[in-house]
Amino acid sequence: MKHLLKLLDLDRQEILDILDLADKLKYQTHHNIPHPILEGKTLGMIFQKASTRTRVSFETGMYQLGGYPLFLSANDLQIGRGEPVQDTARVLSRYLDGIMIRTFAQKEVEDLAAYGSIPVINGLTDFCHPCQVLADLLTIREKKDTFEGLKMCYIGDGNNMANSLIVGGLKVGMQVAAACPDDYQPDPEVMAFAKNDGNFSITNKPIEAAADADVLITDVWSSMGMEAEIEKRRIAFQGYQINDDIMAAAHTDAMVMHCLPAHRGEEITEKVFEAHASEIFDEAENRLHAQKAVMVKLMMPDAE
Ligand code: CP
Ligand code: NVA
């Protein structure tokens, strides 16, 4: 693994290896066992969109690994004034040991990796959110001990989260049922990957997707960059909500996850959110551990 650009690029074993290392790093973190594996290394973190979790977990994670994170707001970089990503990639490769980027177009992340000579980590694009889904898989395995025989249900927009959950869930062997409105389907590349997998199903009826689910996941109706569509989407997504009816269709011990930020009363009710807050905030914490594992794998592959 040279980069983390999208989960489609990883095989099952690479995903499981990241999760195993994340478990180990989580244990060390919780027991105050120092693990300065990336001492002397630097990570540039480019943000073209807002972030709470991604920024703080990468920054803290890099510090805990003994390295140095640089927060690079796109507004302050020449990239924000039109310097091509191809040039930015080649310049930053001369200074840094790794780059994390959150942006709009997946192509920008792929170009950064293609033109640079250091590992690139996708911290969210319009297409996918691989770091989040690695943390989600870590959380599922932590709570359920296995992926075997488990059903994941995603309800909502066929967005970056849907794309990564479908790919990640199928790659580790889960059954994945998605419920998305007809006009808001997952990306065609993801559908092409999933459509021949007997573990995948998609419907526009949330209650059907939720039947016997072990894990229920949703995300905002309007992602970052879609602010102009908020009203239109609020209408299109009516009914695409994790609520008591959905919980009743799922297994009684079903867990609920949300990448956050959440809009209570839209994609999830306040009641369900608070009843599953421990899972949701464990999921948020696991961003830290999963990303530390990714950084070690990419920036110090022989460290373990
Ligand atoms: N879930 C997630 O990526 O959160 P942030 O947008 O706060 O980074
Ligand atoms: N789908 C959301 C995820 C936020 C972490 C967005 O892209 O805004």
Side-chain angles (χ1 to χ4, degrees), residues 39-255:
E39 197 167 1
K41 304 271 185 194
T42 52
L43 177 79
M45 309 187 307
I46 303 173
F47 283 91
Q48 306 252 27
K49 291 176 176 172
S51 169
T52 297
R53 281 144 289 270
T54 304
R55 177 182 175 178
V56 178
S57 55
F58 265 106
E59 201 161 327
T60 306
M62 194 57 185
Y63 174 78
Q64 291 175 354
L65 287 165
Y68 185 81
L70 292 87
F71 172 71
L72 305 169
S73 163
N75 295 332
D76 302 327
L77 293 174
Q78 296 288 10
I79 209 169
R81 294 180 56 244
E83 184 170 16
V85 70
Q86 295 90 324
D87 296 355
T88 306
R90 285 176 285 185
V91 170
L92 293 182
S93 295
R94 304 290 180 109
Y95 305 136
L96 301 166
D97 299 291
I99 301 174
M100 190 241 72
I101 178 166
R102 165 168 288 196
T103 189
F104 295 87
Q106 179 70 16
K107 186 171 185 310
E108 199 177 334
V109 179
E110 307 268 351
D111 282 351
L112 201 54
Y115 286 89
S117 53
I118 55 175
V120 172
I121 301 171
N122 182 343
L124 180 147
T125 58
D126 292 343
F127 174 63
C128 66
H129 199 357
C131 292
Q132 179 68 53
V133 170
L134 289 171
D136 291 4
L137 294 174
L138 188 67
T139 313
I140 293 167
R141 197 174 68 168
E142 220 169 57
K143 308 279 174 204
K144 302 280 185 191
D145 289 326
T146 178
F147 296 119
E148 302 305 317
L150 290 186
K151 177 177 174 181
M152 173 199 289
C153 164
Y154 174 84
I155 295 175
D157 189 14
N159 62 11
N160 43 14
M161 277 304 297
N163 291 334
S164 288
L165 285 166
I166 291 168
V167 174
L170 292 176
K171 287 214 175 200
V172 298
M174 295 176 78
Q175 215 182 310
V176 179
C180 308
D182 293 341
D183 293 339
Y184 298 92
Q185 295 284 295
D187 189 273
E189 196 182 344
V190 169
M191 292 299 283
F193 166 81
K195 71 169 191 272
N196 295 325
D197 191 319
N199 276 333
F200 178 67
S201 63
I202 187 157
T203 168
N204 57 13
K205 297 185 180 63
I207 203 86
E208 281 180 14
D212 297 322
D214 301 285
V215 186
L216 293 157
I217 310 180
T218 187
D219 187 19
V220 291
W221 292 344
S222 296
S223 288
M224 290 182 277
M226 296 170 183
E227 287 73 17
E229 297 179 27
I230 286 177
E231 284 315 318
K232 184 177 138 203
R233 285 171 168 266
R234 201 167 273 148
I235 295 163
F237 284 92
Q238 284 305 316
Y240 288 81
Q241 181 188 64
I242 301 190
N243 53 30
D244 285 346
D245 293 342
I246 293 293
M247 295 310 298
H251 271 157
T252 45
D253 65 348
M255 58 189 283

